[in-house]
Amino acid sequence: MPSLHPSLSLGPVSLDAVSTAEALLTRPEYQRTTISIVDCSTPIPFSDHNTRTSVPTTASLDSSRIIRADYSSPFYAALAAAASARWRSSPLFSPHYHGSGVALTCTPSDPPTAGEKYVQASLANVRALESTSSDIEILSSSVDIQRVMQPAGGSYGSNGYVNSASGWADASGAMEALREHVHELGLAHRGFRWVKGTVAALTYSSLSKLASRVTGARLASGVQLTADLTVLAAGAWSGKYLNLQGRVQATAQTVAYVQLEPDEAREWARTPVLLHTSSGFFLIPPTPDNVLKIARHSHGWLNEIQIPHPEPPSAQLVDESGHSSSTESFIRTSLPAADFATLPPSSIGPLRDFLAACVPSLVPRLAEPSLFSATRVCWYADTPTGDFLVDYAPQYGRSLFVATGGSGHAFKFLPVLGEKVVERMTKSASARCAQNGKAVGEDLWRWRETLGELGGDDSRGGEKGLKWGDEKWN
């Protein structure tokens, strides 16, 4: 086996990096492989489980994330159902899972909106899955939605369904558990290293004037890491290390938290997650710490900046398919902004309106400056189609593998994602083909030569084309 860096976690605590490392460490064929993972966040292990360690710059470290098999894509629905089964049964993940159910709702119109079509397709897919078909209740009116949302007492949308086999997970707790599990596996793996530091850049060697290979990474400290295979799993920061224009861009998403009184939280904990696909708004029931979360799965805000081109000129000229690319010294891309706590001013009113509709008893508190106990900007690694990018970068042969583009919905796959990344890495995935000229299965995660504008799936809402710099900040 070659020396292998399965994950260079270039942004803090990438779920792709940690889950891939876990999959590699559990495979006997990699026992003689040198495996390193770079992490610029809290050192391993997490020894004090009573102290919540959180890195707010990382999307996967959060109070709660939705776990659902409710997808309009049959491929994602089946994969999410497999992941959900592990969330419920795995000793590693089940302590962090809450089976509240998920209400998927929409606001119908004529002709049907994308959000309405998403609900209809998702319903058909979960009904086709034997593991979830008996867990569905149809919601035919806003009164039905209000009933299942009791005792919160509100409603959003006018039809849909509730899937009692879905729910939510303590995302930070699950990530902490997985990281500690990886650390424990690594103790029994002679070649495993957990490297504390921040990656400054990938490193390259020139094979010719027209070809290069990735040889590893250089840390901000100056330390050089070398590998036969480097895996770029940097989430929303991926575009800092590789030119991913038209493939992956960071988009800002808005999240707010409401601290409830203990009696309120106990009462509302029985409500399901609510996801309104016509607008992208969603609500997750209170955590054990009595925190209610609301957010919007939107088209987001781009923070477009100019950065030095991260790749050498030889790699910019031509890839193995013969396509030429830019030889400019600088590129424009969207990367996370420095402030992860202050929401775009234009997003606050719609979040308050959504909260008022879902939880009417909180209306008297809407005018209070302290309504939100915390706010957060969550940066997605967005792709044009909302599909992940899990493939070799063709201009570097088999020296650089990219695992990014979670597009705001990768976390729910945490129990199975690493296995799928390693299958793609070893070219053993079973669904790498096309039907009627369209990608199917995991081939949806391929490196695409045809670039596109960000769009995502049909469960998103809000305005397209928003720019972080256009907001009227106070």
Side-chain angles (χ1 to χ4, degrees):
M1 281 292 170
S3 173
L4 173 65
H5 282 289
S7 305
L8 295 176
S9 185
L10 311 184
V13 199
S14 158
L15 71 90
D16 302 287
V18 181
S19 60
T20 301
E22 191 263 348
L24 289 165
L25 288 168
T26 55
R27 290 193 173 205
E29 61 266 36
Y30 289 97
Q31 284 302 305
R32 298 173 67 92
T33 301
T34 299
I35 300 173
S36 301
I37 180 170
V38 180
D39 183 13
C40 66
S41 64
T42 305
I44 291 296
F46 291 96
S47 57
D48 185 358
H49 293 283
N50 294 318
T51 301
R52 172 52 46 81
T53 303
S54 179
V55 181
T57 57
T58 304
S60 56
L61 291 183
D62 198 356
S63 64
S64 51
R65 299 299 292 266
I66 301 174
I67 307 298
R68 60 182 173 93
D70 307 272
Y71 271 88
S72 61
S73 158
F75 164 68
Y76 285 110
L79 187 61
S84 296
R86 291 200 192 176
W87 278 109
R88 293 190 293 269
S89 63
S90 165
L92 182 63
F93 296 108
S94 62
H96 310 286
Y97 177 74
H98 301 263
S100 63
V102 171
L104 210 68
T105 71
C106 64
T107 302
S109 66
D110 188 16
T113 63
E116 185 178 359
K117 293 177 182 178
Y118 187 94
V119 171
Q120 294 169 348
S122 298
L123 176 59
N125 287 332
V126 294
R127 277 177 162 168
L129 294 169
E130 184 177 350
S131 59
T132 61
S133 59
S134 62
D135 301 308
I136 305 301
E137 178 185 353
I138 301 300
L139 306 174
S140 301
S141 66
S142 59
V143 174
D144 284 345
I145 297 171
Q146 186 176 30
R147 172 177 52 78
V148 299
M149 291 302 294
Q150 291 295 338
S155 177
Y156 213 81
S158 53
N159 70 31
Y161 69 92
V162 60
N163 183 356
S164 62
S166 298
W168 62 276
D170 171 0
S172 289
M175 284 294 294
E176 288 176 3
L178 181 58
R179 288 182 65 197
E180 187 163 298
H181 180 56
V182 168
H183 175 72
E184 292 170 352
L185 290 172
L187 293 176
H189 188 104
R190 186 172 57 185
F192 178 76
R193 294 187 300 165
W194 197 295
V195 181
K196 185 72 167 66
T198 302
V199 171
L202 300 179
T203 56
Y204 304 84
S205 67
S206 296
L207 302 177
S208 69
K209 290 184 178 181
L210 298 180
S212 296
R213 69 181 303 274
V214 174
T215 59
R218 175 174 52 82
L219 303 188
S221 63
V223 171
Q224 300 279 341
L225 300 175
T226 60
D228 294 313
L229 172 62
T230 298
V231 177
L232 176 63
W237 285 263
S238 298
K240 177 181 178 181
Y241 304 99
L242 189 67
N243 183 6
L244 294 172
Q245 291 173 305
R247 294 186 178 93
V248 180
Q249 296 271 7
T251 66
Q253 309 288 327
T254 53
V255 185
Y257 307 88
V258 180
Q259 183 68 53
L260 301 177
E261 295 298 326
D263 56 341
E264 292 176 317
R266 282 193 296 270
E267 190 175 16
W268 296 342
R270 299 193 301 272
T271 62
V273 171
L274 176 66
L275 171 58
H276 183 251
T277 60
S278 298
S279 65
F281 285 113
F282 63 90
L283 174 148
I284 300 180
T287 67
D289 296 328
N290 307 327
V291 176
L292 183 75
K293 174 182 171 179
I294 62 170
R296 192 174 199 180
H297 184 53
S298 72
H299 298 288
W301 286 256
L302 288 171
N303 180 43
E304 293 182 330
I305 59 175
Q306 181 172 278
I307 63 171
H309 201 298
E311 300 172 64
S314 60
Q316 299 175 44
L317 292 174
V318 63
D319 62 28
E320 66 181 19
S321 300
H323 293 88
S324 61
S325 58
S326 171
T327 58
E328 296 179 357
S329 299
F330 293 86
I331 61 171
R332 289 193 64 81
T333 189
S334 178
L335 293 174
D339 186 348
F340 288 80
T342 306
L343 299 184
S346 65
S347 70
I348 296 174
L351 283 171
R352 288 175 180 266
D353 292 344
F354 172 67
L355 180 62
C358 292
V359 191
S361 62
L362 290 179
V363 168
R365 294 166 56 181
L366 289 180
E368 298 177 7
S370 61
L371 169 66
F372 297 141
S373 56
T375 57
R376 179 182 182 188
V377 178
C378 175
W379 288 90
Y380 287 1
D382 256 334
T383 67
T385 62
D387 297 304
F388 311 153
L389 173 55
V390 184
D391 206 349
Y392 287 94
Q395 64 269 41
Y396 299 113
R398 293 178 67 87
S399 67
L400 179 64
F401 191 84
V402 182
T404 187
S407 302
H409 67 109
F411 178 82
K412 65 178 66 63
F413 301 102
L414 185 63
V416 300
L417 185 59
E419 297 170 6
K420 294 300 180 184
V421 171
V422 174
E423 286 178 6
R424 294 276 298 174
M425 192 186 305
T426 57
K427 300 293 185 181
S428 62
S430 60
R432 293 180 59 77
C433 59
Q435 294 177 354
N436 300 321
K438 295 183 178 180
V440 297
E442 289 148 29
D443 199 46
L444 292 168
W445 301 349
R446 73 193 185 282
W447 181 277
R448 298 171 189 260
E449 293 302 332
T450 301
L451 309 182
E453 298 294 324
L454 295 179
D457 61 41
D458 291 336
S459 64
R460 299 195 185 210
E463 186 178 345
K464 294 183 178 180
L466 295 175
K467 301 296 178 63
W468 188 258
D470 291 345
E471 282 289 321
K472 295 180 180 178
W473 304 96
N474 295 328

